[in-house]
Amino acid sequence: MGKLDGKVAIVTGGSRGIGAASALALADEGADVAISYSASADQAKAVVADLEAKGVRAAAFQADQADAAQAAGLIHHVAEQFGKLDILVNNAAVSGGGLVGSEPVDQAAIERQLAVNYTSVVAAVQAAVPLLPDGGRIVSISSGVATRAGFQGMAYYTGTKSALEGFSRGAARDLAQRGITVNVVQPGFVDTDGNPADGPAASTFLPTAAMGRYGRPEEIAAGVVFLASPQASYVTGAVLRIDGGYAA
């Protein structure tokens, strides 16, 4: 028996990295899992196959998380296909924007980042709340830079993640009477396709982490599973740092 037998979860941006690891970890505990993807159809198909191999129902849905209407529609599509929704994991994110005060400013990139990392998360939560049962779970993936920027060029990304964390605290208050918990996982540097541990940025990033290494997606996923589980029933409005000591 898994902790999440009979539950249905959606993980946005679940075709790779932390999202894929979280989807697989939820399935290991018995949850049926839907993932969303923007462009990586083949990767999403492979994750679905891995999920189904664990004996759970799984599906992938294409959605542009920069579009709030698509983000909300995704929630309804998942609930319609699976019959219900118990767990929402907001993982999809983008970064960028450059230095404040630099010219030219890529305003389109800044606005897309805000849309994916914050506005569409709000839309997804709003769509999910009427569908979630009492005791449902909402988990959002933030970033260590929401606590400590640490580097130049992080202001725009930091702003979106800080907004996400503030919204999550407020939503936790609003939904507490229904037993719906709203929490945030705050990863540090994680070895993914977008930020590999052997990439050119490693020499800059590694000295800032107390443990001196990148995290693994599975280590972040373990925190997601805990917050989605019955054992976290008294945890809400929290930020769970899984950052190797980046904020220490």
Side-chain angles (χ1 to χ4, degrees), residues 6-245:
K7 304 295 185 182
V8 172
I10 167 69
V11 181
T12 67
S15 65
R16 59 182 183 172
I18 293 171
S22 296
L24 293 166
L26 291 165
D28 282 337
E29 292 297 337
D32 296 326
V33 185
I35 63 171
S36 75
Y37 66 96
S38 177
S40 305
D42 289 342
Q43 287 179 299
K45 183 178 179 180
V47 172
V48 168
D50 289 341
L51 291 167
E52 290 176 336
K54 295 179 181 293
V56 304
R57 291 186 298 161
F61 297 81
Q62 196 280 331
D64 182 357
Q65 293 296 138
D67 184 332
Q70 289 190 45
L74 168 70
I75 302 302
H76 292 289
H77 293 325
V78 171
E80 181 177 359
Q81 180 161 327
F82 285 79
K84 63 172 185 168
L85 179 67
D86 301 287
I87 300 162
L88 168 61
V89 181
N90 297 301
N91 169 73
V94 295
S95 62
L99 295 169
V100 174
S102 64
E103 295 291 344
V105 175
D106 189 346
Q107 193 62 36
I110 293 170
E111 291 176 1
R112 178 174 176 79
Q113 187 172 210
L114 179 62
V116 174
N117 296 0
Y118 177 68
T119 308
S120 289
V121 173
V122 173
V125 171
Q126 290 173 325
V129 166
L131 303 173
L132 289 170
D134 291 356
R137 299 286 190 264
I138 299 171
V139 182
S140 295
I141 308 301
S142 181
S143 169
V145 301
T147 294
R148 175 184 178 228
F151 308 93
Q152 289 184 318
M154 302 302 295
Y156 299 107
Y157 183 59
T158 294
T160 64
K161 292 302 190 178
S162 295
L164 172 62
E165 294 189 9
F167 171 76
S168 298
R169 288 192 296 272
R173 285 279 181 180
D174 291 347
L175 299 174
Q177 289 187 334
R178 289 185 54 196
I180 296 174
T181 65
V182 186
N183 292 294
V184 169
V185 173
Q186 196 184 84
F189 304 111
V190 181
D191 185 12
T192 63
D193 293 345
N195 184 27
D198 59 357
S203 61
T204 300
F205 292 161
L206 285 178
T208 69
M211 294 188 72
R213 68 171 177 87
Y214 275 50
R216 300 186 302 275
E218 294 77 14
E219 292 175 307
I220 312 305
V224 172
V225 169
F226 167 67
L227 292 173
S229 74
Q231 285 73 22
S233 58
Y234 198 56
V235 181
T236 197
V239 174
L240 175 58
R241 292 177 182 160
I242 311 178
D243 65 357

